[in-house]
């Protein structure tokens, strides 16, 4: 359900933003056709795509659409279900010994939880365990951050391409001054379309999607850190009460109550 | 009282800021009606809301009003009362043993103080105690910082939406050059209203409220760190004199005297 | 003397800056009266004050004047006198034992030196000693940095208030185009005054004073760190030769010689 | 193959970017000749080169072309081949003892791998081993970052040189107002060419190439850190299973499978 | 020789930059006299100097010229000569004992090397040795960074002073609209000169010299860290082979060969 609500936030946000801009323009008496500029669109898009291609690689140019789609579903953060699961593992490991987890491990869906518990079952030293998991997390986080950075980079290039487009348009206009003033006005208006597109794309698409991806990275890191804390507790054979104190901090107030409810049942 | 004074600073600041701008405009001979622009307002607000929605989620759009209300009451920082309380706990624990705190713990209002003392009473190791409390603090701080960041993000999108609104207005004007110059002037004036709103909202509302929330996070962190230092001292059974030296650093000069006054009574 | 020279740098800098700007304007043929704009001043000041009030609290608005006065005297940094004093304490402690410092401690003017030596005399563990002093320093430094940040914030709001003032002025002008061109020109000129004031105040007052306060924080931190290093050396009973090597790094080249001169006497 | 695809991304990106800008301009009705401005080019290039020369040294001016060429081939990141090799060394060292690696060491192509294994064979302490390799990595990374910084610096100077060129052009135009309006327009258009070149060069060449070099530094660091982790594991004589867990985190999902495929053969 | 080449890079860079700008302007048909504006120069310089004086102190105003001169000679970085010297000390200390270095120490030119070896000869503990040297380095580095920061600050104030000058010029022009259009044009052109000077000085002098000073700080830090690594190795009595491995990382590829050549002789 939370997943559902979030699913549509990218589309809804674009709708509100673009819709509001157009509504304001129309109320002001403008015809939306006046805002259409094919040359401006070509300049902004190919300029931004070109700069991104030089910045990284051809593949990078092909990633943004997929990343926008990826940003649609909500990144799962630390959930009461995960906390619950970690608590149960901690109890089982304390009661029946760490090796009792062996059968469950390979069926786990989360990569880090599976790897962590496998290392625990294999008897890896506590220090090395944490080091391996932290290193994995850092590398995965870095990759996700690079993806978010791609959008920030696009958000930086897009407005300057808009300025380039507008200046080119003005150069065009200035070369033919002295003609009909109405036509002149329309030509200048056309030149400004590039600025509109450049700033608009940056502020309604590139930067906001970049922000969302960075938020998702934070959720991702939080979830994985909860797992690291949990796995280490399991290895140390800490008391379920202490594990619960450690884990609870990762949850929202109402999620803590959910956890409590499950526990006392 | 201090709470009261702060209560009104958001409203008072807005009053001074907006009032001053309008006063300057009126003295200059302008009619305030000239500054009203419904299309501009639609553009700025829906543009900013749209960008924020893409940036995070639909819920985020609904948070700012609640956060502005939250920013009205002052966030309590490290207070002499809290310091006093920690000192008394330290003395009691040293005199009657740590378990003597058991009855008091669950009645405490502050979450972190309660959790910290509960862990101390349960005999948690010093290192784990600090780790759990620091982790809780870091997560809570992060959430509050994300809220403050929401306003900074809005403060970044708002002026660019203003520029978009103005450029759209100019596109409109430029499409009908050659008409009556007075009407032309008024149309350009209207286009500038969007810039006014975009910059004005960012600099009188979004960014300042974001600043205030960040200040509150600092106060919050300071208060919680005082608690962590205090709880650790209680656990270590340090002498009240040393605890006082440690705690005093968190207080203002005149608050230290208050603490001294209470102590010598 | 050094204190004297610094005393007047704020005033002198303002004199040079404002004087130079006016001189350039006058040489160019302008009458200074043309630069006076009461509405612009109202807009800039009340806009900036309003934004600052929302940003923090009403008290914050009242601090800048006091802080400007505070920035007049020079913040004492690590001085050869202080180094000398620390060296003497180190020698005395080594010769006559740490308790021999007990009588001197309470007469010391510097808060951190007094607290540090008191903790040493009380037999505090080395690790806790450093932790307490570092924590005190961090908190004091943070407060001073927040003060400097206030000016940076003002320096950020001031130019945008100038832009708001200018745009409002232009809205006014554009509403009455088609009149006498000379009057029109003067009205636009008046609108630009707000930009002048906004940028001028930010770049000659807010930001430079903020810079100076930050420099003073650095001096403050350096002085206190010298004290922390010295106090720890005293506690460890290190040889005066080693203490001198440690302390010297904090002094300027010519100050080292001063220290040497005193020592060999 | 991957190498090949990347080889052309700098050229391809420039083609897309510049091509798109020119296409947009032509569709809009402009003649490409109107965008040629020798004086503007002289101003931008010599201004940027001059600023860079003052910034560092004459040699720095000669590096960018070489660095652009260097940025063409893809920087190798952590590869399954390298992981494979480290695993084999780990197995051999565990089976036949660390000294069994002695013969292979000097034939290794990678500087850090060779140095690391040589230190291991020489019996260097684990702590010193890591310290030496980390220090080498930090210094090499710093040098590569400085190179990338050169392009960022150029990307910062280039647009301001464009503004300088345009302002100079406007000064020229304004000195001869009142003439033929068509000629005036063309002169202003020429002035804007400098802005076009300044922003264009910055956003299609300097900044994107700087970005790519920074990406390459990240790949470089990742590859070297994989080596450090591997070499340390070899020295510790860790079990191949554990080494594999440590190393796998550096690889992409499909590269892990490649590694698994090789291992099970 | 390297020193020589670098000696002139500040002057050469200024020549290329300023020369190129003027060349572009002249080719475009401008007379260089049109770019001379005494009032603009007064505004930029006194505005920047005033802001710097408020920012720090009167002395700060007098430093930049000396610092520019200082930036002329190249800062020596880690050199093969220094590496060679450290290696020889390491060998001597290992062969004849650490005290054998006593006679050489006081003749050393480099402050940090002399202090470090003196502390080693005096039998200072390894941990304290590193702490003292690192603290000295941090303080010296901070001072050099503050100097570089002075130029960055000037580079930030300079363009805004240019804008102030231009706005003041426009205020002047706008006060006398309606006159001869040619004279009007020339007056506006004069107003723009201030922008030219402000941006030009910032981008050809202040910021590039600031960059160079920061580069020199990096070289300085690298050289001193090489010394710290070397001195610590000498104290530990590490084998020359290991010392060489540690030290080599600080050198360029061809410098390593130079070192090898000397060693094998």
């Amino acid at each position: 359900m939370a997943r559902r609500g979030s699913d549509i936030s990218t589309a809804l946000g674009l709708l509100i933003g673009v819709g509001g801009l157009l509504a304001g323009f129309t109320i002001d008496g403008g015809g939306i056709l006046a805002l259409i500029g094919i040359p401006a669109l070509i300049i902004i898009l190919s300029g931004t795509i070109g700069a991104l291609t030089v910045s990284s690689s051809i593949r990078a140019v092909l990633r943004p659409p997929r990343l926008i789609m990826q940003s649609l579903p909500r990144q799962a953060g630390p959930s009461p279900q995960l906390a619950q699961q970690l608590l149960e593992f901690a109890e089982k490991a304390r009661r029946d010994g760490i090796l009792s987890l062996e059968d469950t491990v390979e069926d786990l869906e989360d990569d880090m939880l599976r790897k962590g518990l496998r290392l625990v079952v294999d008897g890896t030293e506590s220090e090395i365990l944490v080091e391996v998991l932290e290193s994995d997390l850092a590398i995965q986080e870095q990759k996700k951050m690079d993806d978010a950075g791609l959008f920030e980079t696009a958000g930086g290039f897009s407005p300057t391409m808009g300025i380039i487009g507008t200046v080119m348009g003005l150069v065009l206009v200035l070369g033919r001054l002295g003609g009909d003033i109405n036509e002149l006005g329309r030509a200048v208006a056309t030149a400004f379309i590039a600025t509109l597109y450049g700033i608009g794309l940056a502020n309604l698409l590139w930067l906001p999607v970049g922000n969302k991806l960075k938020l998702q990275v934070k959720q991702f890191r939080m979830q994985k850190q909860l797992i690291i804390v949990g796995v280490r507790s399991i290895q140390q054979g800490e008391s379920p009460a202490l594990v619960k104190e450690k884990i609870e901090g990762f949850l929202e107030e109402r999620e803590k109550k959910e956890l409590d409810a499950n526990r006392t049942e």
Side-chain angles (χ1 to χ4, degrees), chain A residues 44 157-170 191 194-195 198-199:
Chain A
I44 306 302
F157 285 129
S158 184
T160 49
M161 293 303 155
I163 292 172
I164 288 179
T166 294
V167 172
M168 290 204 311
L170 291 177
T195 296
I199 304 184

Side-chain angles (χ1 to χ4, degrees), chain A residues 93-209:
Chain A
R94 204 172 149 93
R95 213 176 40 226
D96 310 330
I98 278 170
L99 289 179
S100 70
L101 296 175
E102 195 158 19
D103 300 336
T104 344
V105 167
E106 293 308 324
D107 299 338
L108 291 169
E109 224 182 287
D110 186 282
D111 282 350
M112 183 157 288
L113 184 54
R114 197 171 57 238
K115 183 167 188 174
L117 288 182
R118 197 167 56 215
L119 286 167
V120 167
V121 169
D122 288 357
T124 316
E125 272 175 61
S126 169
E127 219 170 295
I128 290 178
L129 169 73
V130 172
E131 193 189 302
V132 170
L133 297 184
E134 292 277 11
S135 156
D136 275 24
L137 172 50
I139 291 169
Q140 290 173 35
E141 195 184 8
Q142 186 59 53
K143 275 179 196 152
K144 283 174 187 287
M145 268 295 173
D146 287 351
D147 283 346
L150 208 63
F151 284 83
E152 262 184 18
T153 309
F157 285 129
S158 184
T160 49
M161 293 303 155
I163 292 172
I164 288 179
T166 294
V167 172
M168 290 204 311
L170 291 177
V171 164
L172 212 62
V173 173
L174 288 161
R176 338 169 176 138
L177 276 189
D180 175 30
I181 187 147
N182 277 315
E183 208 179 305
L184 200 76
R186 269 192 292 277
V188 175
T190 307
F192 279 133
I193 301 292
T195 296
L196 264 191
Y197 285 9
I199 304 184
L201 270 173
N203 287 280
L204 284 171
L205 194 62
W206 306 133
L207 297 176
V209 170

Side-chain angles (χ1 to χ4, degrees), chain A residues 82 85-87 89-90 93 98 101 105 108 110-121 124-126 129-130 133 223-238 243 246-247:
Chain A
L82 177 60
Q85 198 179 22
L86 289 168
L87 268 178
F89 285 147
I98 278 170
L101 296 175
V105 167
L108 291 169
D110 186 282
D111 282 350
M112 183 157 288
L113 184 54
R114 197 171 57 238
K115 183 167 188 174
L117 288 182
R118 197 167 56 215
L119 286 167
V120 167
V121 169
T124 316
E125 272 175 61
S126 169
L129 169 73
V130 172
L133 297 184
Q223 193 201 35
K224 297 311 179 203
Q225 274 189 323
L226 169 54
I227 291 176
I228 295 178
V229 164
V231 167
R232 202 172 49 158
S233 287
I234 291 169
Q235 190 192 41
Q236 302 291 323
E238 285 172 358
V243 178
K246 280 186 168 180
I247 275 177

